[in-house]
Amino acid sequence: MIQILDEITLAPERIPDVLALLRDQYLPSHAARGLTLLGRWVSPPVAIPGQPNVLWLSWQVPDAPAYYRMRATADAGVFGFWAAVDAICESRRRHVMTDADVPLPSPLSAPEVDHAA
């Protein structure tokens, strides 16, 4: 399994805005792209005046080829969602991870993937 963790730094009062964008623009097509939303968290768990919070979105796809298929099938709605998030957040990063106990394949041994499909 591939774990995807989106780290979105923003003012605490903007968290509901991002969650609404997620619900209205991103979630309607996420399953068709192979993504499973595992959870949504905020840290720290309090709003500190003048300090940002981090909204964490945790996703999963079955394997590396599925990750690249998911990226290849991003459409205008996906790009629009991230552009809207970028307009209201301070920064964001995406972490893509796999189980540390699983041997990592080399690019030469990975199964062939048609990225255009």
Side-chain angles (χ1 to χ4, degrees), residues 7-8 10-11 19 26 33 62 66 75 78 81-83 87 101 107 109:
E7 173 186 357
I8 305 167
L10 70 170
L19 294 177
Y26 201 82
R33 296 178 52 233
D75 59 14
V78 170
F81 166 77
W82 288 115
D101 292 325
S109 66

Side-chain angles (χ1 to χ4, degrees), residues 26-37 59 70:
Y26 201 82
L27 291 181
S29 67
H30 81 287
R33 296 178 52 233
L35 282 167
T36 300
L37 178 64
W59 308 90
M70 176 270 302

Side-chain angles (χ1 to χ4, degrees), residues 33 62-74 113-115 117:
R33 296 178 52 233
D63 53 29
Y67 171 75
Y68 289 105
R69 275 193 302 277
M70 176 270 302
R71 291 187 49 85
T73 58
V113 176
D114 181 2
H115 295 286

